[in-house]
Amino acid sequence: MSLREEEVAALESLGYTTEEARFIYLVAVHSGYFTSRQFLRFTGAKGGNRCHSFDVKLQRRGHATRREYHQIGCVYQLASTRLYRFIDKLNFPPPRSHAVEFIRKRLLHLDFILENLGFAYFETESEKTVYFCDVLGIPKTVLPAKTYESARGGSPTVRYFVDKFPMYLDQTVPNNPPVITFSYIDAGVPSVRGFVTHVQAYLPLLRRLERFAFVYIASSATHFMRAEKCFSNLMREFLQPGRSADILRCFRLRHAWELKQYGSLSTPDVEWLKEASRRFQGEWFEASYRAWASGTLSDEAFRTEFEQLHPDGQVFFRTCLTPAWNFGKNHLAREAGRALHPSPSSA
């Protein structure tokens, strides 16, 4: 991770040491909450005066509040908009009270960050939208979004990636390009229903990616196997070849519709075409369709071209265990993180 040193320096100007400022930056960007144990782990200190000194600075400057929570212990919350102003993050949500489950998720989030500082994380909504839309050329309409109504009767606001779970580029696989990695944090819920809903919200975006990974972060391994099974079911489209066949079907149904041959289209055909039209977009797709419709591109030639340009994607599922009773023992199960659909070269 490459911290923005100018923003760290701005926090130092408030009276914090370099290590304290770097830690505050990580907390402000990724969680908003932290424990003394996490601070000590980041700094490598043993406790005592170091932790007390940091506590005094935060309290006297009004930069954080402290509260005891059942089964969590003493938790600090950054509670100063001035801090966010100093690191140019005023667009982050203002400090407020949250439910215990939300706080547990944020602590698990920070624990994951502290144990995996080597990844290139996307810190803001803007960074994420720029990467997918400007760098990868993916339309904004397929990004996971939530619409917020204006309290004053103005236009609604659309926000993207509101879950704020860790998202990063994993560059640790030798001889391979970086893998865009998404995640989900389970803070101890009784089922994987929330995880399934989360992945479903990302499906329109995932369909546009040839290679990606998902990390399931939890305080218990109870749901790991169930989560992987659900993920595999949701990713079935990626695990089975034949996307070129889907596109050719889309070509045929679209051509029949444009020729007003409505009698040849069943209701399921029309519904399928509607969904496929959202999945398959872009200049390459339109050019291929025009060539196919004019008869200059045969089915076989299209399949060959598609397989060359769009080899079977790779989908990875990994787990990360962070025991609830010990925030700090974070184990990313990289050795168990297998490709659900590896390419022949990775076998």
Side-chain angles (χ1 to χ4, degrees), residues 3 16-27 34-55 57-58 110-111 113-115 117 327-328:
L3 297 180
Y16 295 101
T17 66
T18 300
E19 280 192 325
E20 290 170 346
R22 288 167 66 86
F23 181 75
I24 290 173
Y25 180 89
L26 291 176
V27 173
F34 70 94
T35 66
S36 297
R37 183 176 296 164
Q38 290 172 320
F39 170 71
L40 294 175
R41 185 173 184 82
F42 177 76
T43 60
K46 301 295 184 181
N49 292 336
R50 185 65 175 278
C51 198
H52 176 71
S53 174
F54 187 48
D55 176 278
K57 290 179 183 179
L58 290 169
L110 180 61
D111 225 18
I113 298 296
L114 295 179
E115 286 296 321
L117 291 172
F327 292 103

mmCIF file of all heavy atoms in Angstrom, residues 3 16-27 34-55 57-58 110-111 113-115 117 327-328:
data_model
loop_
_atom_site.group_PDB
_atom_site.id
_atom_site.type_symbol
_atom_site.label_atom_id
_atom_site.label_comp_id
_atom_site.label_asym_id
_atom_site.label_seq_id
_atom_site.Cartn_x
_atom_site.Cartn_y
_atom_site.Cartn_z
ATOM 1 N N LEU A 3 0.818 4.903 0.996
ATOM 2 C CA LEU A 3 0.098 5.957 1.700
ATOM 3 C C LEU A 3 0.423 7.309 1.080
ATOM 4 O O LEU A 3 1.526 7.530 0.587
ATOM 5 C CB LEU A 3 0.484 5.957 3.176
ATOM 6 C CG LEU A 3 0.129 4.708 3.986
ATOM 7 C CD1 LEU A 3 0.588 4.878 5.417
ATOM 8 C CD2 LEU A 3 -1.355 4.447 3.945
ATOM 9 N N TYR A 16 0.906 14.665 15.890
ATOM 10 C CA TYR A 16 1.084 13.222 15.957
ATOM 11 C C TYR A 16 2.441 12.822 15.373
ATOM 12 O O TYR A 16 2.993 13.516 14.510
ATOM 13 C CB TYR A 16 -0.033 12.517 15.184
ATOM 14 C CG TYR A 16 -1.401 12.727 15.781
ATOM 15 C CD1 TYR A 16 -2.289 13.652 15.226
ATOM 16 C CD2 TYR A 16 -1.801 12.025 16.919
ATOM 17 C CE1 TYR A 16 -3.551 13.854 15.772
ATOM 18 C CE2 TYR A 16 -3.067 12.227 17.469
ATOM 19 C CZ TYR A 16 -3.933 13.149 16.899
ATOM 20 O OH TYR A 16 -5.167 13.343 17.458
ATOM 21 N N THR A 17 2.955 11.697 15.850
ATOM 22 C CA THR A 17 4.189 11.160 15.276
ATOM 23 C C THR A 17 3.877 10.593 13.889
ATOM 24 O O THR A 17 2.710 10.425 13.513
ATOM 25 C CB THR A 17 4.769 10.039 16.150
ATOM 26 O OG1 THR A 17 3.865 8.911 16.132
ATOM 27 C CG2 THR A 17 4.956 10.509 17.598
ATOM 28 N N THR A 18 4.927 10.265 13.135
ATOM 29 C CA THR A 18 4.711 9.733 11.792
ATOM 30 C C THR A 18 3.913 8.432 11.832
ATOM 31 O O THR A 18 2.967 8.249 11.046
ATOM 32 C CB THR A 18 6.054 9.484 11.084
ATOM 33 O OG1 THR A 18 6.764 10.728 10.984
ATOM 34 C CG2 THR A 18 5.841 8.914 9.691
ATOM 35 N N GLU A 19 4.261 7.537 12.750
ATOM 36 C CA GLU A 19 3.535 6.271 12.850
ATOM 37 C C GLU A 19 2.089 6.487 13.257
ATOM 38 O O GLU A 19 1.178 5.840 12.739
ATOM 39 C CB GLU A 19 4.234 5.332 13.844
ATOM 40 C CG GLU A 19 5.439 4.623 13.262
ATOM 41 C CD GLU A 19 5.912 3.516 14.170
ATOM 42 O OE1 GLU A 19 5.821 3.701 15.409
ATOM 43 O OE2 GLU A 19 6.389 2.479 13.665
ATOM 44 N N GLU A 20 1.871 7.398 14.218
ATOM 45 C CA GLU A 20 0.501 7.699 14.643
ATOM 46 C C GLU A 20 -0.304 8.288 13.491
ATOM 47 O O GLU A 20 -1.466 7.920 13.275
ATOM 48 C CB GLU A 20 0.527 8.672 15.819
ATOM 49 C CG GLU A 20 1.063 8.061 17.111
ATOM 50 C CD GLU A 20 1.302 9.103 18.189
ATOM 51 O OE1 GLU A 20 1.308 10.324 17.857
ATOM 52 O OE2 GLU A 20 1.500 8.724 19.346
ATOM 53 N N ALA A 21 0.319 9.183 12.725
ATOM 54 C CA ALA A 21 -0.367 9.810 11.598
ATOM 55 C C ALA A 21 -0.704 8.783 10.516
ATOM 56 O O ALA A 21 -1.797 8.818 9.938
ATOM 57 C CB ALA A 21 0.495 10.924 11.008
ATOM 58 N N ARG A 22 0.212 7.877 10.252
ATOM 59 C CA ARG A 22 -0.045 6.841 9.242
ATOM 60 C C ARG A 22 -1.193 5.934 9.692
ATOM 61 O O ARG A 22 -2.034 5.543 8.884
ATOM 62 C CB ARG A 22 1.232 6.021 9.008
ATOM 63 C CG ARG A 22 2.298 6.785 8.245
ATOM 64 C CD ARG A 22 3.650 6.072 8.316
ATOM 65 N NE ARG A 22 3.616 4.803 7.618
ATOM 66 C CZ ARG A 22 3.842 4.655 6.320
ATOM 67 N NH1 ARG A 22 4.123 5.702 5.569
ATOM 68 N NH2 ARG A 22 3.808 3.465 5.756
ATOM 69 N N PHE A 23 -1.219 5.614 10.966
ATOM 70 C CA PHE A 23 -2.295 4.771 11.492
ATOM 71 C C PHE A 23 -3.636 5.500 11.410
ATOM 72 O O PHE A 23 -4.648 4.915 10.984
ATOM 73 C CB PHE A 23 -1.996 4.376 12.940
ATOM 74 C CG PHE A 23 -3.047 3.489 13.548
ATOM 75 C CD1 PHE A 23 -3.135 2.145 13.209
ATOM 76 C CD2 PHE A 23 -3.963 4.000 14.461
ATOM 77 C CE1 PHE A 23 -4.118 1.322 13.760
ATOM 78 C CE2 PHE A 23 -4.941 3.184 15.025
ATOM 79 C CZ PHE A 23 -5.010 1.843 14.670
ATOM 80 N N ILE A 24 -3.660 6.776 11.796
ATOM 81 C CA ILE A 24 -4.895 7.551 11.724
ATOM 82 C C ILE A 24 -5.400 7.610 10.290
ATOM 83 O O ILE A 24 -6.608 7.493 10.031
ATOM 84 C CB ILE A 24 -4.671 8.982 12.280
ATOM 85 C CG1 ILE A 24 -4.463 8.939 13.794
ATOM 86 C CG2 ILE A 24 -5.864 9.894 11.940
ATOM 87 C CD1 ILE A 24 -4.081 10.271 14.405
ATOM 88 N N TYR A 25 -4.494 7.761 9.346
ATOM 89 C CA TYR A 25 -4.891 7.812 7.939
ATOM 90 C C TYR A 25 -5.589 6.513 7.534
ATOM 91 O O TYR A 25 -6.647 6.534 6.898
ATOM 92 C CB TYR A 25 -3.669 8.053 7.054
ATOM 93 C CG TYR A 25 -4.009 8.109 5.583
ATOM 94 C CD1 TYR A 25 -4.365 9.314 4.994
ATOM 95 C CD2 TYR A 25 -4.002 6.968 4.793
ATOM 96 C CE1 TYR A 25 -4.707 9.380 3.643
ATOM 97 C CE2 TYR A 25 -4.346 7.010 3.453
ATOM 98 C CZ TYR A 25 -4.690 8.229 2.881
ATOM 99 O OH TYR A 25 -5.037 8.272 1.554
ATOM 100 N N LEU A 26 -4.999 5.379 7.898
ATOM 101 C CA LEU A 26 -5.596 4.084 7.559
ATOM 102 C C LEU A 26 -6.978 3.930 8.190
ATOM 103 O O LEU A 26 -7.923 3.451 7.549
ATOM 104 C CB LEU A 26 -4.687 2.953 8.016
ATOM 105 C CG LEU A 26 -3.354 2.796 7.275
ATOM 106 C CD1 LEU A 26 -2.522 1.696 7.914
ATOM 107 C CD2 LEU A 26 -3.600 2.487 5.804
ATOM 108 N N VAL A 27 -7.104 4.339 9.442
ATOM 109 C CA VAL A 27 -8.390 4.232 10.127
ATOM 110 C C VAL A 27 -9.419 5.141 9.460
ATOM 111 O O VAL A 27 -10.563 4.737 9.209
ATOM 112 C CB VAL A 27 -8.247 4.593 11.623
ATOM 113 C CG1 VAL A 27 -9.613 4.641 12.296
ATOM 114 C CG2 VAL A 27 -7.346 3.588 12.329
ATOM 115 N N PHE A 34 -11.230 1.759 15.677
ATOM 116 C CA PHE A 34 -10.040 0.940 15.923
ATOM 117 C C PHE A 34 -9.952 0.591 17.400
ATOM 118 O O PHE A 34 -10.637 1.190 18.242
ATOM 119 C CB PHE A 34 -8.764 1.655 15.474
ATOM 120 C CG PHE A 34 -8.365 2.842 16.328
ATOM 121 C CD1 PHE A 34 -7.468 2.702 17.388
ATOM 122 C CD2 PHE A 34 -8.884 4.106 16.069
ATOM 123 C CE1 PHE A 34 -7.096 3.782 18.166
ATOM 124 C CE2 PHE A 34 -8.523 5.199 16.842
ATOM 125 C CZ PHE A 34 -7.622 5.040 17.895
ATOM 126 N N THR A 35 -9.116 -0.382 17.710
ATOM 127 C CA THR A 35 -8.846 -0.763 19.091
ATOM 128 C C THR A 35 -7.383 -0.492 19.415
ATOM 129 O O THR A 35 -6.550 -0.342 18.512
ATOM 130 C CB THR A 35 -9.132 -2.254 19.322
ATOM 131 O OG1 THR A 35 -8.201 -3.030 18.553
ATOM 132 C CG2 THR A 35 -10.557 -2.615 18.927
ATOM 133 N N SER A 36 -7.063 -0.463 20.694
ATOM 134 C CA SER A 36 -5.678 -0.267 21.113
ATOM 135 C C SER A 36 -4.793 -1.381 20.570
ATOM 136 O O SER A 36 -3.642 -1.144 20.182
ATOM 137 C CB SER A 36 -5.586 -0.224 22.643
ATOM 138 O OG SER A 36 -6.301 0.875 23.167
ATOM 139 N N ARG A 37 -5.317 -2.596 20.555
ATOM 140 C CA ARG A 37 -4.551 -3.731 20.056
ATOM 141 C C ARG A 37 -4.139 -3.531 18.599
ATOM 142 O O ARG A 37 -3.033 -3.864 18.204
ATOM 143 C CB ARG A 37 -5.359 -5.013 20.212
ATOM 144 C CG ARG A 37 -4.622 -6.268 19.791
ATOM 145 C CD ARG A 37 -5.466 -7.478 20.079
ATOM 146 N NE ARG A 37 -5.683 -7.604 21.519
ATOM 147 C CZ ARG A 37 -6.618 -8.362 22.063
ATOM 148 N NH1 ARG A 37 -7.436 -9.044 21.289
ATOM 149 N NH2 ARG A 37 -6.758 -8.446 23.371
ATOM 150 N N GLN A 38 -5.038 -2.968 17.801
ATOM 151 C CA GLN A 38 -4.701 -2.730 16.400
ATOM 152 C C GLN A 38 -3.633 -1.650 16.271
ATOM 153 O O GLN A 38 -2.738 -1.757 15.429
ATOM 154 C CB GLN A 38 -5.968 -2.341 15.632
ATOM 155 C CG GLN A 38 -6.940 -3.500 15.455
ATOM 156 C CD GLN A 38 -8.270 -3.071 14.865
ATOM 157 O OE1 GLN A 38 -8.801 -2.017 15.220
ATOM 158 N NE2 GLN A 38 -8.828 -3.880 13.982
ATOM 159 N N PHE A 39 -3.728 -0.618 17.094
ATOM 160 C CA PHE A 39 -2.696 0.431 17.075
ATOM 161 C C PHE A 39 -1.340 -0.146 17.457
ATOM 162 O O PHE A 39 -0.320 0.138 16.802
ATOM 163 C CB PHE A 39 -3.088 1.564 18.030
ATOM 164 C CG PHE A 39 -2.000 2.571 18.252
ATOM 165 C CD1 PHE A 39 -1.638 3.453 17.239
ATOM 166 C CD2 PHE A 39 -1.331 2.634 19.469
ATOM 167 C CE1 PHE A 39 -0.623 4.377 17.441
ATOM 168 C CE2 PHE A 39 -0.316 3.554 19.673
ATOM 169 C CZ PHE A 39 0.043 4.434 18.652
ATOM 170 N N LEU A 40 -1.318 -0.952 18.505
ATOM 171 C CA LEU A 40 -0.052 -1.533 18.948
ATOM 172 C C LEU A 40 0.516 -2.489 17.906
ATOM 173 O O LEU A 40 1.733 -2.538 17.692
ATOM 174 C CB LEU A 40 -0.254 -2.272 20.276
ATOM 175 C CG LEU A 40 -0.623 -1.386 21.475
ATOM 176 C CD1 LEU A 40 -0.905 -2.238 22.699
ATOM 177 C CD2 LEU A 40 0.488 -0.378 21.762
ATOM 178 N N ARG A 41 -0.341 -3.229 17.249
ATOM 179 C CA ARG A 41 0.127 -4.157 16.222
ATOM 180 C C ARG A 41 0.752 -3.390 15.056
ATOM 181 O O ARG A 41 1.774 -3.787 14.506
ATOM 182 C CB ARG A 41 -1.025 -5.028 15.723
ATOM 183 C CG ARG A 41 -0.575 -6.109 14.745
ATOM 184 C CD ARG A 41 -1.704 -7.049 14.409
ATOM 185 N NE ARG A 41 -1.267 -8.129 13.552
ATOM 186 C CZ ARG A 41 -0.659 -9.226 13.973
ATOM 187 N NH1 ARG A 41 -0.424 -9.391 15.270
ATOM 188 N NH2 ARG A 41 -0.281 -10.160 13.112
ATOM 189 N N PHE A 42 0.129 -2.292 14.664
ATOM 190 C CA PHE A 42 0.640 -1.507 13.545
ATOM 191 C C PHE A 42 1.985 -0.872 13.881
ATOM 192 O O PHE A 42 2.901 -0.846 13.049
ATOM 193 C CB PHE A 42 -0.369 -0.422 13.177
ATOM 194 C CG PHE A 42 0.089 0.486 12.074
ATOM 195 C CD1 PHE A 42 0.064 0.052 10.756
ATOM 196 C CD2 PHE A 42 0.545 1.769 12.349
ATOM 197 C CE1 PHE A 42 0.497 0.888 9.721
ATOM 198 C CE2 PHE A 42 0.978 2.607 11.333
ATOM 199 C CZ PHE A 42 0.946 2.167 10.012
ATOM 200 N N THR A 43 2.122 -0.362 15.088
ATOM 201 C CA THR A 43 3.355 0.334 15.467
ATOM 202 C C THR A 43 4.435 -0.618 15.970
ATOM 203 O O THR A 43 5.606 -0.244 16.031
ATOM 204 C CB THR A 43 3.074 1.372 16.563
ATOM 205 O OG1 THR A 43 2.530 0.700 17.726
ATOM 206 C CG2 THR A 43 2.090 2.426 16.074
ATOM 207 N N GLY A 44 4.048 -1.831 16.371
ATOM 208 C CA GLY A 44 5.014 -2.772 16.917
ATOM 209 C C GLY A 44 5.375 -2.477 18.362
ATOM 210 O O GLY A 44 6.330 -3.039 18.896
ATOM 211 N N ALA A 45 4.606 -1.602 19.003
ATOM 212 C CA ALA A 45 4.880 -1.240 20.390
ATOM 213 C C ALA A 45 4.321 -2.293 21.341
ATOM 214 O O ALA A 45 3.497 -3.122 20.965
ATOM 215 C CB ALA A 45 4.277 0.122 20.706
ATOM 216 N N LYS A 46 4.758 -2.248 22.590
ATOM 217 C CA LYS A 46 4.343 -3.226 23.599
ATOM 218 C C LYS A 46 3.162 -2.763 24.436
ATOM 219 O O LYS A 46 2.604 -3.518 25.208
ATOM 220 C CB LYS A 46 5.521 -3.541 24.534
ATOM 221 C CG LYS A 46 6.747 -4.110 23.831
ATOM 222 C CD LYS A 46 6.453 -5.467 23.223
ATOM 223 C CE LYS A 46 7.703 -6.066 22.600
ATOM 224 N NZ LYS A 46 7.435 -7.386 21.973
ATOM 225 N N GLY A 47 2.782 -1.506 24.312
ATOM 226 C CA GLY A 47 1.686 -1.005 25.132
ATOM 227 C C GLY A 47 2.186 0.075 26.072
ATOM 228 O O GLY A 47 3.149 0.793 25.792
ATOM 229 N N GLY A 48 1.578 0.188 27.225
ATOM 230 C CA GLY A 48 2.031 1.121 28.246
ATOM 231 C C GLY A 48 1.992 2.564 27.784
ATOM 232 O O GLY A 48 0.964 3.063 27.335
ATOM 233 N N ASN A 49 3.154 3.240 27.890
ATOM 234 C CA ASN A 49 3.221 4.671 27.617
ATOM 235 C C ASN A 49 2.840 5.017 26.183
ATOM 236 O O ASN A 49 2.240 6.058 25.927
ATOM 237 C CB ASN A 49 4.628 5.196 27.921
ATOM 238 C CG ASN A 49 4.933 5.167 29.404
ATOM 239 O OD1 ASN A 49 4.014 5.192 30.225
ATOM 240 N ND2 ASN A 49 6.208 5.106 29.755
ATOM 241 N N ARG A 50 3.235 4.170 25.229
ATOM 242 C CA ARG A 50 2.968 4.467 23.822
ATOM 243 C C ARG A 50 1.460 4.569 23.557
ATOM 244 O O ARG A 50 0.987 5.505 22.915
ATOM 245 C CB ARG A 50 3.569 3.363 22.952
ATOM 246 C CG ARG A 50 3.462 3.600 21.450
ATOM 247 C CD ARG A 50 4.282 4.826 21.033
ATOM 248 N NE ARG A 50 4.285 5.008 19.608
ATOM 249 C CZ ARG A 50 5.097 4.356 18.768
ATOM 250 N NH1 ARG A 50 5.967 3.467 19.232
ATOM 251 N NH2 ARG A 50 5.053 4.608 17.485
ATOM 252 N N CYS A 51 0.736 3.610 24.065
ATOM 253 C CA CYS A 51 -0.716 3.602 23.861
ATOM 254 C C CYS A 51 -1.378 4.731 24.651
ATOM 255 O O CYS A 51 -2.291 5.389 24.153
ATOM 256 C CB CYS A 51 -1.280 2.248 24.296
ATOM 257 S SG CYS A 51 -2.930 1.914 23.650
ATOM 258 N N HIS A 52 -0.911 4.966 25.865
ATOM 259 C CA HIS A 52 -1.478 6.027 26.705
ATOM 260 C C HIS A 52 -1.258 7.387 26.067
ATOM 261 O O HIS A 52 -2.168 8.238 26.035
ATOM 262 C CB HIS A 52 -0.838 6.000 28.092
ATOM 263 C CG HIS A 52 -1.291 7.125 28.982
ATOM 264 N ND1 HIS A 52 -2.558 7.203 29.512
ATOM 265 C CD2 HIS A 52 -0.623 8.247 29.413
ATOM 266 C CE1 HIS A 52 -2.678 8.302 30.235
ATOM 267 N NE2 HIS A 52 -1.511 8.946 30.191
ATOM 268 N N SER A 53 -0.073 7.633 25.530
ATOM 269 C CA SER A 53 0.247 8.905 24.899
ATOM 270 C C SER A 53 -0.663 9.159 23.700
ATOM 271 O O SER A 53 -1.168 10.274 23.512
ATOM 272 C CB SER A 53 1.709 8.914 24.444
ATOM 273 O OG SER A 53 2.008 10.076 23.704
ATOM 274 N N PHE A 54 -0.893 8.120 22.909
ATOM 275 C CA PHE A 54 -1.758 8.253 21.732
ATOM 276 C C PHE A 54 -3.194 8.541 22.168
ATOM 277 O O PHE A 54 -3.875 9.391 21.579
ATOM 278 C CB PHE A 54 -1.690 6.966 20.911
ATOM 279 C CG PHE A 54 -2.409 7.042 19.589
ATOM 280 C CD1 PHE A 54 -2.220 8.110 18.733
ATOM 281 C CD2 PHE A 54 -3.265 6.015 19.197
ATOM 282 C CE1 PHE A 54 -2.873 8.165 17.500
ATOM 283 C CE2 PHE A 54 -3.916 6.060 17.976
ATOM 284 C CZ PHE A 54 -3.723 7.138 17.121
ATOM 285 N N ASP A 55 -3.635 7.872 23.204
ATOM 286 C CA ASP A 55 -4.987 8.080 23.733
ATOM 287 C C ASP A 55 -5.162 9.521 24.200
ATOM 288 O O ASP A 55 -6.177 10.173 23.900
ATOM 289 C CB ASP A 55 -5.233 7.106 24.890
ATOM 290 C CG ASP A 55 -6.581 7.332 25.568
ATOM 291 O OD1 ASP A 55 -6.671 8.232 26.426
ATOM 292 O OD2 ASP A 55 -7.525 6.610 25.233
ATOM 293 N N LYS A 57 -3.534 12.220 23.268
ATOM 294 C CA LYS A 57 -3.559 13.147 22.128
ATOM 295 C C LYS A 57 -4.935 13.162 21.461
ATOM 296 O O LYS A 57 -5.487 14.221 21.148
ATOM 297 C CB LYS A 57 -2.500 12.746 21.103
ATOM 298 C CG LYS A 57 -1.067 12.967 21.544
ATOM 299 C CD LYS A 57 -0.107 12.513 20.438
ATOM 300 C CE LYS A 57 1.340 12.651 20.885
ATOM 301 N NZ LYS A 57 2.289 12.196 19.834
ATOM 302 N N LEU A 58 -5.475 11.990 21.223
ATOM 303 C CA LEU A 58 -6.775 11.894 20.558
ATOM 304 C C LEU A 58 -7.873 12.554 21.380
ATOM 305 O O LEU A 58 -8.716 13.295 20.850
ATOM 306 C CB LEU A 58 -7.128 10.424 20.306
ATOM 307 C CG LEU A 58 -6.305 9.680 19.255
ATOM 308 C CD1 LEU A 58 -6.590 8.185 19.321
ATOM 309 C CD2 LEU A 58 -6.619 10.213 17.851
ATOM 310 N N LEU A 110 -10.476 -3.162 9.186
ATOM 311 C CA LEU A 110 -9.171 -2.589 9.508
ATOM 312 C C LEU A 110 -8.142 -3.686 9.756
ATOM 313 O O LEU A 110 -6.982 -3.566 9.346
ATOM 314 C CB LEU A 110 -9.286 -1.677 10.732
ATOM 315 C CG LEU A 110 -7.981 -1.014 11.186
ATOM 316 C CD1 LEU A 110 -7.418 -0.129 10.083
ATOM 317 C CD2 LEU A 110 -8.210 -0.195 12.458
ATOM 318 N N ASP A 111 -8.546 -4.746 10.422
ATOM 319 C CA ASP A 111 -7.626 -5.847 10.675
ATOM 320 C C ASP A 111 -7.102 -6.434 9.364
ATOM 321 O O ASP A 111 -5.926 -6.747 9.231
ATOM 322 C CB ASP A 111 -8.336 -6.936 11.483
ATOM 323 C CG ASP A 111 -7.478 -7.437 12.625
ATOM 324 O OD1 ASP A 111 -6.527 -6.739 13.004
ATOM 325 O OD2 ASP A 111 -7.763 -8.535 13.135
ATOM 326 N N ILE A 113 -6.843 -4.880 6.513
ATOM 327 C CA ILE A 113 -5.940 -3.893 5.910
ATOM 328 C C ILE A 113 -4.565 -3.956 6.567
ATOM 329 O O ILE A 113 -3.536 -3.980 5.889
ATOM 330 C CB ILE A 113 -6.523 -2.469 6.045
ATOM 331 C CG1 ILE A 113 -7.847 -2.350 5.300
ATOM 332 C CG2 ILE A 113 -5.519 -1.432 5.546
ATOM 333 C CD1 ILE A 113 -7.746 -2.528 3.809
ATOM 334 N N LEU A 114 -4.546 -3.988 7.897
ATOM 335 C CA LEU A 114 -3.277 -3.969 8.620
ATOM 336 C C LEU A 114 -2.436 -5.206 8.326
ATOM 337 O O LEU A 114 -1.200 -5.143 8.347
ATOM 338 C CB LEU A 114 -3.543 -3.876 10.131
ATOM 339 C CG LEU A 114 -4.212 -2.583 10.613
ATOM 340 C CD1 LEU A 114 -4.433 -2.634 12.121
ATOM 341 C CD2 LEU A 114 -3.372 -1.365 10.232
ATOM 342 N N GLU A 115 -3.085 -6.335 8.071
ATOM 343 C CA GLU A 115 -2.349 -7.565 7.786
ATOM 344 C C GLU A 115 -2.006 -7.719 6.307
ATOM 345 O O GLU A 115 -1.256 -8.614 5.931
ATOM 346 C CB GLU A 115 -3.173 -8.776 8.245
ATOM 347 C CG GLU A 115 -3.201 -8.965 9.746
ATOM 348 C CD GLU A 115 -1.830 -9.270 10.312
ATOM 349 O OE1 GLU A 115 -1.081 -10.026 9.666
ATOM 350 O OE2 GLU A 115 -1.510 -8.728 11.382
ATOM 351 N N LEU A 117 -1.026 -4.972 3.950
ATOM 352 C CA LEU A 117 -0.670 -3.629 3.515
ATOM 353 C C LEU A 117 -0.027 -3.610 2.131
ATOM 354 O O LEU A 117 0.138 -2.544 1.545
ATOM 355 C CB LEU A 117 0.275 -2.985 4.539
ATOM 356 C CG LEU A 117 -0.342 -2.645 5.898
ATOM 357 C CD1 LEU A 117 0.726 -2.209 6.880
ATOM 358 C CD2 LEU A 117 -1.393 -1.561 5.748
ATOM 359 N N PHE A 327 -8.625 -9.455 17.513
ATOM 360 C CA PHE A 327 -8.439 -8.669 16.305
ATOM 361 C C PHE A 327 -6.949 -8.470 16.092
ATOM 362 O O PHE A 327 -6.283 -7.805 16.839
ATOM 363 C CB PHE A 327 -9.128 -7.309 16.448
ATOM 364 C CG PHE A 327 -10.613 -7.403 16.484
ATOM 365 C CD1 PHE A 327 -11.288 -7.288 17.687
ATOM 366 C CD2 PHE A 327 -11.340 -7.629 15.332
ATOM 367 C CE1 PHE A 327 -12.672 -7.381 17.727
ATOM 368 C CE2 PHE A 327 -12.723 -7.718 15.364
ATOM 369 C CZ PHE A 327 -13.385 -7.593 16.570
ATOM 370 N N GLY A 328 -6.434 -9.063 15.057
ATOM 371 C CA GLY A 328 -5.006 -8.955 14.787
ATOM 372 C C GLY A 328 -4.456 -10.232 14.204
ATOM 373 O O GLY A 328 -3.493 -10.224 13.475
#
